[in-house]
Amino acid sequence: VPSIASARGQELVASFQEARAEGRSGFRIGLRIFSWVLLMTFSFIVGLDSFLMKLRVVATHAFAQHISIHAALPCVQFLVQVLGIVQLGPFVRTRLFIFIFGGEDGIMQNEETELMQ
């Protein structure tokens, strides 16, 4: 989602610059940029607040006196959510290829890179 939001922001700025270069009024585009910035700021605040609230809930369960499935389940759910944010696929694939094709030293040489492809 951040890549989509930044692409949209760049698109709006480019259209503003294009309008100014053509001598047109950039008021409408400027207003759209302003509303986009407000939306991104609001989304960031709501997302951060949600994250902090979940973190507080998980912290109370994680530091409970007695561990139970009732206390462990929110911790596991939070861990899965946080790991779902980060795209681990490309990172894990690269690590796996280095493990398979890297040889004894674990460093990809030119021959090993050619063998991998």
Side-chain angles (χ1 to χ4, degrees):
V1 176
S3 61
I4 295 171
S6 65
R8 178 69 178 146
Q10 289 174 352
E11 177 184 312
L12 286 171
V13 169
S15 63
F16 179 77
Q17 290 173 344
E18 180 180 311
R20 297 303 293 162
E22 293 175 355
R24 294 184 288 143
S25 174
F27 179 74
R28 296 185 95 189
I29 298 172
L31 192 60
R32 287 176 35 200
I33 291 173
F34 180 72
S35 65
W36 178 81
V37 168
L38 281 178
L39 177 68
M40 291 298 111
T41 304
F42 178 75
S43 300
F44 174 76
I45 290 170
V46 168
L48 181 64
D49 186 48
S50 298
F51 173 76
L52 292 176
M53 180 60 91
K54 287 181 182 184
L55 189 63
R56 284 186 217 121
V57 168
V58 167
T60 58
H61 287 289
F63 294 118
Q65 293 292 332
H66 303 290
I67 191 73
S68 67
I69 193 70
H70 175 58
L73 190 60
C75 299
V76 171
Q77 288 174 335
F78 183 74
L79 181 65
V80 167
Q81 254 185 334
V82 169
L83 289 178
I85 294 171
V86 180
Q87 293 182 355
L88 292 176
F91 175 73
V92 171
R93 185 175 346 164
T94 304
R95 294 287 304 231
L96 182 63
F97 285 161
I98 289 174
F99 177 74
I100 293 172
F101 297 106
E104 293 178 0
D105 57 357
I107 299 173
M108 298 287 283
Q109 308 297 330
N110 290 337
E111 310 88 42
E112 296 164 341
T113 305
E114 292 172 5
L115 179 65
M116 181 181 73
Q117 295 174 355

